[in-house]
Amino acid sequence: MGYNGFTTGSSVVNLPLVMGQNNSFYTGIQIQNAGTLATTVTMDYTTNTGGSFDPANEVFSLQPGASKTVIQNGTPPSNGSVNNWNTSSQKYIGGARITNDQNQPLVAIVNQQSPGLSGA
């Protein structure tokens, strides 16, 4: 999914709810560099409140205008993530903080999904 209605971005984006294998729900995240400089983006996951593992941080480069989709389901790298949350034993409920090293404006879209539920 996408969205083109952003009027500005922020150098720090907080995602209050990120999930993996939470009763079939998982989170899809798309991050775009809305700035004019290339930057290295870090997505730092918060402590897991719903399971026993903490996911690895996501670190990647984004050119101006470029975006990256991180789907927290499936096997890396095809899921866009360094994490593999495709097993029921890896439940994650937490959040994330997105920053970048060039202080560029970032925008993000967060989708909560459950492929097993009709209409979700």
Side-chain angles (χ1 to χ4, degrees):
M1 293 185 190
Y3 180 74
N4 64 356
F6 293 106
T7 58
T8 188
S10 177
S11 61
V12 177
V13 178
N14 291 304
L15 309 179
L17 179 60
V18 176
M19 299 182 290
Q21 296 300 332
N22 183 20
N23 296 317
S24 83
F25 282 89
Y26 68 94
T27 302
I29 302 164
Q30 187 177 53
I31 304 161
Q32 182 178 18
N33 178 359
T36 58
L37 299 174
T39 191
T40 299
V41 175
T42 301
M43 187 163 58
D44 181 18
Y45 294 99
T46 63
T47 301
N48 190 349
T49 63
S52 61
F53 88 105
D54 288 316
N57 292 344
E58 309 277 350
V59 179
F60 50 90
S61 296
L62 280 181
Q63 294 297 316
S67 65
K68 178 174 176 72
T69 300
V70 180
I71 302 292
Q72 306 302 335
N73 190 33
T75 304
S78 62
N79 67 352
S81 176
V82 298
N83 297 291
N84 181 358
W85 296 358
N86 200 29
T87 64
S88 60
S89 64
Q90 293 185 313
K91 183 177 183 176
Y92 175 77
I93 302 172
R97 181 177 177 95
I98 304 169
T99 58
N100 72 95
D101 68 346
Q102 295 295 321
N103 203 31
Q104 293 298 288
L106 304 174
V107 294
I109 299 169
V110 179
N111 294 298
Q112 307 299 352
Q113 305 171 45
S114 177
L117 296 176
S118 176

